[in-house]
Amino acid sequence: MHEVFNLDRDQVPTHWYNILADLPIEVPAARSAPPRSDREGPLKPQLPLSLYRQSTGGTRFIAIPDPVRAEYQRWRPTPLFRASRLEKALDTPAHIYFKYEGTSPSGSHKINTALAQAYYYGRSGVKEMVTGTGAGQWGSALAMACHPYGMECTVFMVRSSHEQKPYRGTLMRLNGAKVITSPSTETEVGRAALRADPDSPGTLGIANAEAIEYANSRKEARFSIGSGENHVLMHQTVIGEEALLQMELAGEFPDVVIGAMGAGSNFAGLTFPFYRAAQAENPGTRFLAVEPDACPKMTRGDYLMDYTDYSGVTPAVKMYTLGHRFMAYKIHAGGLRYHGAAPIVSAMYHHDMVEAASYGQTRVFECGAAFAKAEGFVPAPESAHAVAAAIDEAVRAREERAHRVILFGLSGHGLLDLSAYESYLSGEIVDSAPTDEEIKASLQPLIDSM
Amino acid sequence: MHEVFNLDRDQVPTHWYNILADLPIEVPAARSAPPRSDREGPLKPQLPLSLYRQSTGGTRFIAIPDPVRAEYQRWRPTPLFRASRLEKALDTPAHIYFKYEGTSPSGSHKINTALAQAYYYGRSGVKEMVTGTGAGQWGSALAMACHPYGMECTVFMVRSSHEQKPYRGTLMRLNGAKVITSPSTETEVGRAALRADPDSPGTLGIANAEAIEYANSRKEARFSIGSGENHVLMHQTVIGEEALLQMELAGEFPDVVIGAMGAGSNFAGLTFPFYRAAQAENPGTRFLAVEPDACPKMTRGDYLMDYTDYSGVTPAVKMYTLGHRFMAYKIHAGGLRYHGAAPIVSAMYHHDMVEAASYGQTRVFECGAAFAKAEGFVPAPESAHAVAAAIDEAVRAREERAHRVILFGLSGHGLLDLSAYESYLSGEIVDSAPTDEEIKASLQPLIDSM
């Protein structure tokens, strides 16, 4: 039996897919942030015009520039596997496939957009990319992406993450990036946070706010973001375009496509091309976004205008959100602790075109470990959310004695998260979720300001 | 420019290459260990007949069993890259290529023989594979390999390694292995070591001796070894056979082929097929084994009959050795701290068919970090030894204004070794090497017993 479906190097997609051209629904436009008196100067535009156009345009397919595609070809196409051993372990009639992005140099899908962004920023004259990172997947991808284009990279890394996962910082530094633990003394935002609490563990919101301030104060620097934005989702569609061809090789079309949901680029990258193809191939195909119980923006949040950053200096967008000041409980899947869902994914969810489910940490690690044992690959805790949902779909198929084709995205490996798995094996993983009151309190200021 | 040379899945080799059929020199036979009074019972044969035949036979090509080849095809062929950015950083006219084994599920080449061994042991009725591991690359590969064949796996892991690199242990447990820190109370060897020193940090020699005793005492268990033996070297030739085809795609034949040298399976796996092809293609091709200054068996050891394990219960073989009781200084490249060089590699070295060089840790990490920055992949500290030698060859080519084609083996990624790179970045890496007196003292008992 063929368990792996490989493509040739020249089958790396030549175009990104812009789902905006095909959606029969409205995705509300962004609204600029109000002017603020507490900012030193005006915020200069951070996005090159080329990326702004990608974010808003109606062109269905956008050509991937040759230098970016050449970089992709260093490790793409990534493999698509049939998880036959997992099927056997679950005794399910379902066929389970997974698209594996862990073979990338940075170990996750994040580098797909990092390379595209570094290219477009560099072409517009930017010499230094600045960003914030929590779990560190995005920071290490951007660090790797800047080097080929001769750009500097500065990463504000949440202090508690940097202490918990020091090796992500090492990886960034090895790739030539400057890593600053946040809150830092480099910015006014950081200094204020340290004045309020000298031992502040930091948050992604503060790290991003520091990165924005830092980039704004340096002539040739710009702030870059790793998920959520329309163009970022689009860059990730190389995943789904390849997977479409690979499922064709497998001779099946998925009944359900599953992706872990942080801000949405991983989920969108895999599912959007299948959304397009499903219209002709299998209109009943379902698309399932999986979020953590600790940060349930889709399953328990509201569809509101909100800011994408903690400080509220970025434009507001309409999205499923828990409020931009929502503090998710600490979980090992740090990449899923973002308060909002990407505007496109949110609009599709609002119109019942995608589904959402949330999982607790214990179940996620249980499923991640079962998958590792069966298939040999250790999933990142973020990706293990998709594994958990895929396993539940397969078990349901067994109970219903139904054939079902399940495809999920394994967005990254967990080799830098083995301390979390060690906690799981030692029985130290705990579940956590916000109370209804906590969510309501976080959303009330947004509702009040409407 | 093409920077990566990929093969199709059906180009995964169908045969292993047995260099014994081609060597114009004698590789002295092994000699059984003397009977010992301190062992509880006789040592039962640990090797299945099939593997014993592979170790001694004169057949030039040995067919890879279909189930093993199907496993290889889950990630093989592995990529071969041109390191163009490293060339540019070094400003060298040399062309540098590397064969990358870090894309395997276990992250290194070790799984190539682990799968083959698990298959043959399983077919001969063995239900439990037992081994010792130091740095943990071998233990995690064997743990992963046992699962597909439904076998149990028990790994004795050196206590100091287990404490320094806990995540290798986590990885093994996730793959279903039983991990026992050594010295343990499970065996007489372990109990004796603990009586002598309750805080004993352990050694690979003790861990292997425990594994042998443990396997010997259990009916359906057998001891397995990850490098050095003839059949193990042969299983790794899939690396070189693929690289031969890939260099053909690149349109060049290497002038020098470089591999890091622990016991020799990584070095042999890459170089042996090139040794065969060089006879017709480029008889001047050099083969360079790179060892650490801390364990210089080839550059400073003697060619003697010696045991492959600390206790001296295994058959003695003729090899370049520092003595089976040699205690190498701690270095981060734990996989290269083995006291002897594989008998085949030793014989070739003795007849000037391969060269050897040794490097200090500081230079190795300096080169590993330079490679990571240029090419994006972080090398395992073991593999970084080959990187260092490749960089020196490239620099020499620049000084001599000579075109030179350099191929080296990047045997594994360093994502579980980032703490070592962190030490390097913090200036905490130290060099160490045995004195002449230490080497002489370690070899004298062997010389005396001849």
Side-chain angles (χ1 to χ4, degrees):
Chain A
M1 188 196 307
H2 286 278
E3 289 198 316
V4 55
F5 301 90
N6 285 329
L7 300 178
D8 291 337
R9 201 169 153 275
D10 56 19
Q11 288 174 293
V12 167
T14 55
H15 291 74
W16 291 304
Y17 171 53
N18 176 17
I19 198 172
L20 285 174
D22 283 340
L23 280 183
I25 57 169
E26 189 206 2
V27 179
R31 191 178 66 198
S32 289
R36 292 167 59 119
S37 55
D38 59 342
R39 219 161 51 214
E40 287 171 16
L43 188 66
K44 67 189 175 195
Q46 297 295 316
L47 206 60
L49 194 59
S50 48
L51 287 177
Y52 178 77
R53 284 201 187 113
Q54 288 180 7
S55 272
T56 51
T59 313
R60 201 172 184 217
F61 291 102
I62 295 188
I64 301 173
D66 285 343
V68 175
R69 189 163 179 264
E71 287 297 321
Y72 285 170
Q73 286 178 315
R74 297 189 82 211
W75 80 93
R76 304 203 72 88
T78 59
L80 183 137
F81 291 92
R82 169 98 179 261
S84 320
R85 287 183 200 139
L86 182 65
E87 290 170 16
K88 204 173 152 195
L90 297 170
D91 189 24
T92 178
H95 291 184
I96 308 175
Y97 296 87
F98 63 99
K99 174 73 168 168
Y100 185 44
E101 290 291 299
T103 57
S104 88
S106 78
S108 84
H109 68 291
K110 289 283 185 187
I111 198 160
N112 296 325
T113 185
L115 283 165
Q117 291 192 45
Y119 169 79
Y120 286 112
Y121 276 83
R123 227 186 35 165
S124 77
V126 174
K127 304 274 187 248
E128 180 183 8
M129 302 277 281
V130 187
T131 197
T133 196
Q137 293 269 20
W138 166 241
S140 40
L142 191 63
M144 259 175 218
C146 284
H147 189 70
Y149 304 115
M151 297 164 80
E152 300 294 315
C153 181
T154 301
V155 182
F156 286 84
M157 186 168 185
V158 178
R159 189 202 276 182
S160 60
S161 297
H162 191 262
E163 282 162 7
Q164 272 175 18
K165 303 186 179 190
Y167 303 140
R168 280 274 167 207
T170 309
L171 197 53
M172 292 176 222
R173 282 190 294 275
L174 278 176
N175 281 284
K178 183 166 144 195
V179 182
I180 301 171
T181 50
S182 167
S184 78
T185 55
E186 301 265 340
T187 68
E188 189 39 49
V189 171
R191 287 186 294 267
L194 290 172
R195 273 194 303 271
D197 176 5
D199 295 322
S200 167
T203 68
L204 181 55
I206 296 172
N208 272 331
E210 284 207 81
I212 291 170
E213 183 187 330
Y214 183 89
N216 201 42
S217 69
R218 292 163 75 89
K219 195 162 176 292
E220 298 185 310
R222 289 293 182 283
F223 174 69
S224 153
I225 198 161
S227 188
E229 307 285 326
N230 296 357
H231 62 277
V232 178
L233 270 54
M234 191 190 72
H235 297 155
Q236 295 293 357
T237 57
V238 290
I239 303 170
E241 295 294 347
E242 287 176 7
L244 262 182
L245 297 180
Q246 288 164 312
M247 288 303 299
E248 211 173 295
L249 286 180
E252 307 206 85
F253 196 91
D255 297 307
V256 57
V257 187
I258 301 170
M261 182 80 192
S265 74
N266 163 63
F267 173 74
L270 177 64
T271 56
F272 284 4
F274 282 93
Y275 165 83
R276 182 188 71 229
Q279 312 309 316
E281 297 266 355
N282 188 6
T285 295
R286 296 158 50 222
F287 303 97
L288 177 59
V290 190
E291 57 187 16
D293 279 354
C295 195
K297 57 213 150 221
M298 291 176 80
T299 51
R300 297 175 64 201
D302 255 357
Y303 193 40
L304 298 169
M305 292 300 288
D306 194 9
Y307 301 106
T308 57
D309 73 309
Y310 180 85
S311 303
V313 298
T314 53
V317 293
K318 185 117 185 217
M319 60 180 178
Y320 278 86
T321 181
L322 296 161
H324 61 281
R325 301 233 154 170
F326 178 77
M327 288 284 159
Y329 289 102
K330 278 236 169 82
I331 52 170
H332 291 287
L336 306 185
R337 284 175 76 239
Y338 183 70
H339 66 278
I344 299 178
V345 177
S346 288
M348 291 174 77
Y349 181 57
H350 191 65
H351 289 90
D352 296 327
M353 297 158 72
V354 308
E355 302 172 18
S358 86
Y359 280 80
Q361 267 202 123
T362 311
R363 178 70 182 148
V364 164
F365 276 95
E366 192 176 277
C367 292
F371 179 82
K373 192 169 177 182
E375 299 291 327
F377 299 105
V378 180
E382 290 83 358
S383 320
H385 284 73
V387 174
I391 286 178
D392 278 359
E393 290 282 339
V395 168
R396 216 159 17 243
R398 179 183 72 206
E399 286 162 358
E400 295 167 4
R401 296 167 191 250
H403 176 68
R404 194 160 297 158
V405 180
I406 300 165
L407 168 64
F408 73 90
L410 196 69
S411 52
H413 65 64
L415 293 177
L416 296 180
D417 303 280
L418 289 171
S419 60
Y421 278 96
E422 188 58 46
S423 300
Y424 164 72
L425 292 173
S426 317
E428 288 161 13
I429 293 281
V430 291
D431 287 324
S432 58
T435 63
D436 289 342
E437 291 65 36
E438 283 169 330
I439 292 177
K440 203 177 153 202
S442 174
L443 286 174
Q444 200 58 49
L446 284 183
I447 295 167
D448 291 346
S449 73
M450 283 196 305
Chain B
M1 188 197 308
H2 285 280
E3 290 198 314
V4 55
F5 301 90
N6 285 330
L7 299 177
D8 290 337
R9 201 167 153 276
D10 55 19
Q11 289 174 291
V12 166
T14 54
H15 290 74
W16 292 303
Y17 171 51
N18 176 17
I19 198 172
L20 285 174
D22 283 342
L23 280 183
I25 56 169
E26 189 206 2
V27 178
R31 190 178 67 198
S32 290
R36 292 166 59 117
S37 55
D38 58 342
R39 218 161 53 215
E40 288 171 16
L43 187 68
K44 68 189 175 195
Q46 297 294 316
L47 206 61
L49 194 58
S50 48
L51 286 178
Y52 178 77
R53 283 199 189 115
Q54 289 180 7
S55 273
T56 51
T59 312
R60 200 171 185 219
F61 291 103
I62 295 189
I64 301 172
D66 285 342
V68 175
R69 188 162 178 264
E71 288 297 321
Y72 284 170
Q73 285 178 316
R74 297 191 81 212
W75 80 94
R76 304 202 72 89
T78 58
L80 182 136
F81 291 92
R82 169 97 179 262
S84 320
R85 286 183 200 137
L86 182 64
E87 291 170 17
K88 205 173 150 195
L90 296 172
D91 188 25
T92 178
H95 291 185
I96 309 176
Y97 295 87
F98 62 98
K99 174 73 169 168
Y100 186 43
E101 290 290 300
T103 57
S104 88
S106 79
S108 83
H109 67 292
K110 289 284 186 187
I111 198 160
N112 296 324
T113 185
L115 283 164
Q117 291 192 45
Y119 170 79
Y120 286 111
Y121 276 83
R123 227 185 36 165
S124 77
V126 174
K127 303 273 188 252
E128 180 184 7
M129 302 276 281
V130 187
T131 197
T133 197
Q137 292 270 18
W138 167 241
S140 41
L142 190 65
M144 261 176 218
C146 284
H147 188 70
Y149 305 114
M151 297 163 80
E152 300 295 315
C153 180
T154 300
V155 181
F156 286 85
M157 187 170 184
V158 178
R159 190 202 276 181
S160 61
S161 297
H162 192 261
E163 283 162 5
Q164 271 175 18
K165 303 188 178 189
Y167 304 139
R168 279 275 166 205
T170 308
L171 197 53
M172 292 176 221
R173 282 192 292 275
L174 277 176
N175 282 284
K178 183 166 143 195
V179 181
I180 301 171
T181 49
S182 167
S184 78
T185 55
E186 301 266 340
T187 68
E188 188 40 49
V189 171
R191 287 186 294 268
L194 290 172
R195 272 194 303 272
D197 175 7
D199 295 322
S200 167
T203 68
L204 181 56
I206 296 171
N208 272 331
E210 284 207 82
I212 292 170
E213 182 186 329
Y214 184 89
N216 201 43
S217 70
R218 294 163 74 90
K219 193 162 176 294
E220 296 184 311
R222 289 294 183 282
F223 173 68
S224 153
I225 198 161
S227 188
E229 307 285 325
N230 296 358
H231 62 277
V232 178
L233 271 52
M234 191 189 73
H235 297 156
Q236 295 293 358
T237 57
V238 290
I239 303 171
E241 295 294 347
E242 288 176 6
L244 261 183
L245 297 179
Q246 288 164 312
M247 288 303 299
E248 210 173 296
L249 287 179
E252 306 206 84
F253 196 92
D255 296 307
V256 56
V257 187
I258 302 169
M261 181 81 194
S265 74
N266 162 62
F267 173 75
L270 177 63
T271 56
F272 285 3
F274 281 93
Y275 166 84
R276 182 187 71 229
Q279 313 308 316
E281 298 266 356
N282 188 6
T285 296
R286 297 157 48 221
F287 302 97
L288 177 60
V290 190
E291 57 187 15
D293 279 353
C295 197
K297 56 212 149 221
M298 291 176 81
T299 51
R300 296 174 63 198
D302 257 356
Y303 192 41
L304 298 168
M305 291 300 287
D306 193 10
Y307 301 108
T308 58
D309 72 310
Y310 180 85
S311 304
V313 299
T314 53
V317 293
K318 184 114 185 224
M319 61 181 176
Y320 277 86
T321 181
L322 295 161
H324 62 282
R325 300 233 155 169
F326 178 77
M327 287 285 158
Y329 288 102
K330 277 235 169 82
I331 52 171
H332 291 287
L336 306 186
R337 284 176 76 240
Y338 183 69
H339 67 279
I344 299 179
V345 178
S346 289
M348 291 174 77
Y349 182 55
H350 192 65
H351 289 90
D352 296 324
M353 296 158 74
V354 308
E355 302 171 20
S358 87
Y359 280 80
Q361 268 202 123
T362 311
R363 177 71 182 151
V364 164
F365 275 95
E366 193 176 274
C367 292
F371 179 83
K373 191 168 178 184
E375 300 290 328
F377 298 105
V378 180
E382 290 83 359
S383 320
H385 284 73
V387 174
I391 286 178
D392 278 357
E393 291 281 341
V395 168
R396 220 165 6 248
R398 179 183 71 206
E399 287 163 358
E400 296 168 4
R401 296 167 188 250
H403 177 68
R404 194 161 297 157
V405 180
I406 300 165
L407 168 64
F408 73 90
L410 196 69
S411 53
H413 65 64
L415 293 177
L416 297 180
D417 302 281
L418 288 170
S419 61
Y421 278 96
E422 188 57 45
S423 299
Y424 163 73
L425 292 173
S426 315
E428 289 161 13
I429 294 280
V430 290
D431 287 324
S432 57
T435 61
D436 289 342
E437 289 66 38
E438 283 169 331
I439 291 177
K440 202 177 155 202
S442 175
L443 286 175
Q444 200 56 51
L446 285 183
I447 295 169
D448 291 346
S449 74
M450 282 197 305

